[in-house]
């Protein structure tokens, strides 16, 4: 019998991290000569993945940004689709990146290739009509939030709740002092603020300047603070260093990667909306969530949105438990004020710790192992049908 061929496509840093963990689990369940290949990043390559294209190609968010990169993305999808149709894999696993993966999954499934999608698109927050495309695209949807299962059950889509991989990776009880030692930060005073402006070039261009101005406002008010800012890649670090050069007075540690250590070490965080807000919640940290997109993107998202919040901690709680300052509301002064409140409000800190601990228990399910079990079942079922 020929070796199993597991094709995957993961977008950006978070998808690469999730897919890498799944590959490691699959390698313990599938024959040792199984081959993993497709679109991926460093974490997937470290797990034995053959990346024919880098995952950074898919790291685009928003309508305006996507339109700018659309020709390259469409070329990449066509080229990858031709490759998979010419030599059909045992399964295709699309990891996040729904705008790229769902269309690809539709074509592959029509060609008889089993498809699995890992991490449901946020159809509960916006673009709910996408459920119809999902039904055409995937043989199995792997859900990371428990409330998603009801949505897929109503639509008649085969699904499984596996929990969230980050809940398995992040400890229930953070160790801020150990994290500070690792990063070379002071273990007691001053208070430490983690600042995470995003992992995409477009996010850095739009969000990071405002975040730097907010840090400057906080520093100007005479409060003893230390800021720590992780850079997701060398290119991102270069952009952040150029911004930091405008604020030589800031007590700022710019670090390569280590976003989890930065969150574990901090007393509060300023975070661009996205997966990092869930990471901050799992580290039980008070935070301020912010985001900025081009005006047209914001208008389209506003019309298609269903919830009054965009941050994952608020979505999962079903109410505003941490502040969100978006678009024009995200001024340097407003961000600074909100962060000072998160730093100084001890009652709020205790309440958030309780909420985030319960959330952590709900999401910790051994997600990578459960996802690997489900993918292996799809592969074996398809082989028996042939």
């Amino acid at each position: 019998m020929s070796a199993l061929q597991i094709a995957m496509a993961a977008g950006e840093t978070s998808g690469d991290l999730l897919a890498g963990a799944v590959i490691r689990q699959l390698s313990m369940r599938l024959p040792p000569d199984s081959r993993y290949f497709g679109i991926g990043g460093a974490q997937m390559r470290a797990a034995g993945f053959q990346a024919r294209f880098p995952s950074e190609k898919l790291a685009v968010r928003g309508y305006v940004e996507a339109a700018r990169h659309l020709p390259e993305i469409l070329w990449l999808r066509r080229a990858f689709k031709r490759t998979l149709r010419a030599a059909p894999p045992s399964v295709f696993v699309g990891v996040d990146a729904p705008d790229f993966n769902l269309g690809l999954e539709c074509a592959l499934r029509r060609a008889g290739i089993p498809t699995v999608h890992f991490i449901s698109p946020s159809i509960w927050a916006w673009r709910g009509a996408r459920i119809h495309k999902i039904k055409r695209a995937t043989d199995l949807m792997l859900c990371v939030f428990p409330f998603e299962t009801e949505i897929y059950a109503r639509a008649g889509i085969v699904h499984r709740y596996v929990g969230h991989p980050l809940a398995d990776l992040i400890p229930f009880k953070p160790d801020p002092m150990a994290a500070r030692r690792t990063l070379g930060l002071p273990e007691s005073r001053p208070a430490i603020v983690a600042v995470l402006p995003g992992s995409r070039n477009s996010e850095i261009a739009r969000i990071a300047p405002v975040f730097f101005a907010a840090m400057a406002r906080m520093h100007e008010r005479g409060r003893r603070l230390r800021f720590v800012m992780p850079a997701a890649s060398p290119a991102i670090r270069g952009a952040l260093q150029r911004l930091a050069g405008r604020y030589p007075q800031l007590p700022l540690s710019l670090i390569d990667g280590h976003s989890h250590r930065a969150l574990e070490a901090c007393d509060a965080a300023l975070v661009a909306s996205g997966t990092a807000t869930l990471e901050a919640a799992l580290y039980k940290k008070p935070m301020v969530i912010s985001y900025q997109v081009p005006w047209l993107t914001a208008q389209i998202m506003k019309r298609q949105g269903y919830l009054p919040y965009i941050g994952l901690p608020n979505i999962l709680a079903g109410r505003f438990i941490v502040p969100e300052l978006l678009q024009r509301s995200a001024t340097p002064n407003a961000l600074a004020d909100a962060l000072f409140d998160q730093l100084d409000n001890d009652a709020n800190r205790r309440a958030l710790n309780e909420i985030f601990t319960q959330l952590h228990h709900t999401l910790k399910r051994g997600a990578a192992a459960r996802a690997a079990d489900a993918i292996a079942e799809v592969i074996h079922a398809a082989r028996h049908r042939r």
Side-chain angles (χ1 to χ4, degrees):
M1 187 175 289
S2 59
L4 297 176
Q5 308 287 321
I6 295 87
M8 304 178 80
E12 66 189 82
T13 304
S14 59
D16 176 45
L17 178 67
L18 301 177
V22 172
I23 292 169
R24 291 183 180 89
Q25 289 292 327
L26 280 171
S27 67
M28 293 188 281
R29 290 159 172 77
L30 301 180
D33 61 349
S34 299
R35 190 166 70 95
Y36 308 85
F37 70 96
I39 302 171
Q43 294 293 327
M44 296 168 72
R45 290 194 298 271
F49 185 81
Q50 298 172 19
R52 297 184 180 178
F53 304 96
S55 59
E56 290 80 7
K57 295 287 186 183
L58 309 186
V60 178
R61 175 177 284 192
Y63 291 97
V64 175
E65 298 87 339
R68 190 179 305 125
H69 295 274
L70 186 60
E72 183 180 20
I73 292 172
L74 290 177
W75 175 88
L76 173 58
R77 187 161 67 182
R78 285 194 298 267
F80 194 34
K81 181 168 61 178
R82 285 195 299 269
T83 298
L84 298 179
R85 280 178 162 174
S90 309
V91 68
F92 174 78
V93 183
V95 183
D96 210 359
D99 289 312
F100 181 91
N101 277 325
L102 290 178
L104 179 58
E105 289 163 20
C106 282
L108 297 179
R109 196 178 185 211
R110 285 196 301 268
I113 297 169
T115 59
V116 178
H117 194 90
F118 185 28
I119 296 195
S120 166
S122 304
I123 54 175
W124 29 266
W126 70 306
R127 295 179 70 182
R130 189 183 261 183
I131 190 78
H132 305 297
K133 187 173 188 178
I134 293 171
K135 192 168 186 175
R136 298 192 304 272
T138 185
D139 290 293
L140 176 65
M141 174 62 72
L142 299 178
C143 303
V144 296
F145 298 125
F147 63 82
E148 294 171 330
T149 59
E150 183 180 350
I151 298 171
Y152 288 105
R154 286 200 307 265
I157 296 171
V158 180
H159 62 280
R160 186 177 300 184
Y161 172 56
V162 298
H164 204 292
L166 289 171
D168 301 315
L169 182 65
I170 294 172
F172 274 113
K173 291 188 177 181
D175 188 344
M177 296 305 107
R180 292 178 187 188
R181 288 192 295 271
T182 299
L183 298 177
L185 298 171
E187 293 185 29
S188 54
R189 293 285 179 183
I192 293 174
V193 177
V195 182
L196 288 81
S199 59
R200 305 176 182 87
N201 290 324
S202 59
E203 290 174 326
I204 298 304
R206 286 194 165 272
I207 299 169
V210 182
F211 279 17
F212 269 94
M215 287 189 285
R217 298 291 192 280
M218 297 180 78
H219 181 68
E220 288 164 3
R221 295 184 191 180
R223 180 81 168 267
R224 285 194 64 212
L225 297 170
R226 180 76 171 267
F227 301 99
V228 57
M229 179 180 289
S233 68
I236 295 296
R237 181 185 177 92
L240 294 175
Q241 281 181 319
R242 288 189 289 274
L243 284 168
R246 303 177 191 174
Y247 301 92
Q249 79 282 9
L250 276 181
L252 171 66
S253 295
L254 184 58
I255 60 176
D256 295 318
H258 297 293
S259 60
H260 282 201
R261 296 290 77 75
L263 287 169
E264 187 170 22
C266 77
D267 295 290
L270 174 59
V271 192
S273 179
T275 304
T277 64
L278 178 61
E279 293 169 339
L282 292 171
Y283 276 110
K284 325 300 186 295
K285 301 298 180 176
M287 74 189 84
V288 175
I289 297 172
S290 185
Y291 211 74
Q292 294 199 35
V293 295
W295 180 86
L296 179 59
T297 297
Q299 296 308 304
I300 296 172
M301 294 179 72
K302 185 176 181 180
R303 288 186 176 91
Q304 294 197 6
Y306 311 132
L307 300 174
Y309 19 68
I310 68 166
L312 282 169
N314 293 330
I315 290 170
L316 291 166
R319 57 191 174 93
F320 281 104
I321 56 172
V322 296
E324 296 181 3
L325 296 172
L326 314 174
Q327 299 298 98
R328 291 184 178 180
S329 297
T331 66
N333 281 328
L335 292 172
D337 289 342
L339 273 165
F340 276 128
D341 184 61
Q342 294 294 298
L343 283 166
D344 297 336
N345 191 331
D346 289 336
N348 178 66
R349 182 182 298 275
R350 288 192 296 271
L352 287 177
N353 184 75
E354 185 175 334
I355 293 168
F356 291 156
T357 298
Q358 181 56 52
L359 171 65
H360 203 154
H361 281 287
T362 301
L363 298 180
K364 185 178 174 64
R365 289 291 184 272
R370 286 189 173 203
D373 286 339
I375 294 166
E377 289 172 15
V378 170
I379 294 172
H380 294 317
R383 291 202 126 188
H384 286 310
R385 288 195 298 269
R386 291 172 183 167

